[in-house]
Amino acid sequence: MSGNTALGSLVTTSSTTYAATFKIRNELHTFVGSFIPPMESFAANEITLTYAIDDDLIGAPAFSGEIGIMNASILFSTRVSISGPLNSNYGSKIMSKNATALGSLATTTGSFTTLTATFKIGNKLHTFVGSFTPPMEPFAADKVTLTYATGDDLTGSPAFSGEIGIMMHRSSSRPRFPFPAH
């Protein structure tokens, strides 16, 4: 993707919809879309639209993206992208609403590629199972923190990625074993 850019804004219009607006050669271009699950309201006043040719801005293309704590990124199937920082108060608003639970994480008995994390929230036990590569020696952690925003975050089979590290005493190096998103 190359060539043309325009500055604009990106805002939520409801808990599940957004609108991004850009002025290009005195013509207003608005992109609208929806996301699941519902989100807190946010705004980005310095968002960048990138496109190759004017025809890329026509139609209703498929898109995917991510609204993070600090940034937004939306990629359309027509070589168009919208990205940039969210206004500074959004991350603190989301982080202040997160809840945490303590639990444990361990490789599944007899497996070198499967892990199980267990957390008790209220009176309900939540168990998450995932896999990683490459295989590694069995391990366990008794003090693991789960962070989530709502109870809906605890259902389904969401994709995940992460890192399993080894704490080294009296050393600044920490071997890390990343595992890919699933």
Side-chain angles (χ1 to χ4, degrees), residues 123-176:
N123 291 325
K124 187 172 182 183
L125 196 61
H126 294 270
T127 302
F128 301 90
V129 178
S131 61
F132 54 88
T133 56
M136 59 189 317
E137 291 297 315
F139 66 89
D142 294 328
K143 295 180 181 177
V144 177
T145 303
L146 170 70
T147 303
Y148 60 99
T150 71
D152 292 340
D153 294 337
L154 304 174
T155 62
S157 299
F160 67 92
S161 64
E163 183 175 274
I164 298 168
I166 300 171
M167 182 180 285
M168 306 283 286
H169 295 285
R170 296 190 177 122
S171 171
S172 61
S173 64
R174 282 186 55 203
R176 295 182 176 180

Side-chain angles (χ1 to χ4, degrees), residues 24-58:
I24 302 169
R25 290 185 293 285
N26 294 323
E27 185 176 319
L28 198 60
H29 291 266
T30 301
F31 297 83
V32 295
S34 61
F35 39 77
I36 297 173
M39 301 180 68
E40 290 289 324
S41 62
F42 65 83
N45 296 328
E46 296 180 13
I47 206 85
T48 301
L49 169 71
T50 305
Y51 61 101
I53 59 175
D54 287 357
D55 287 349
D56 291 341
L57 304 174
I58 299 169

Side-chain angles (χ1 to χ4, degrees), residues 59-129:
F63 67 91
S64 63
E66 179 177 288
I67 306 298
I69 292 174
M70 298 178 63
N71 295 295
S73 177
I74 302 170
L75 180 62
F76 294 85
S77 61
T78 56
R79 302 177 295 192
V80 173
S81 72
I82 297 171
S83 61
L86 298 177
N87 292 358
S88 62
N89 64 344
Y90 182 68
S92 60
K93 181 167 42 171
I94 293 302
M95 294 306 285
S96 69
K97 293 190 174 246
N98 282 344
T100 60
L102 292 177
S104 62
L105 173 72
T107 51
T108 304
T109 304
S111 173
F112 296 97
T113 60
T114 305
L115 60 89
T116 303
T118 306
F119 302 90
K120 186 172 184 180
I121 301 170
N123 291 325
K124 187 172 182 183
L125 196 61
H126 294 270
T127 302
F128 301 90
V129 178

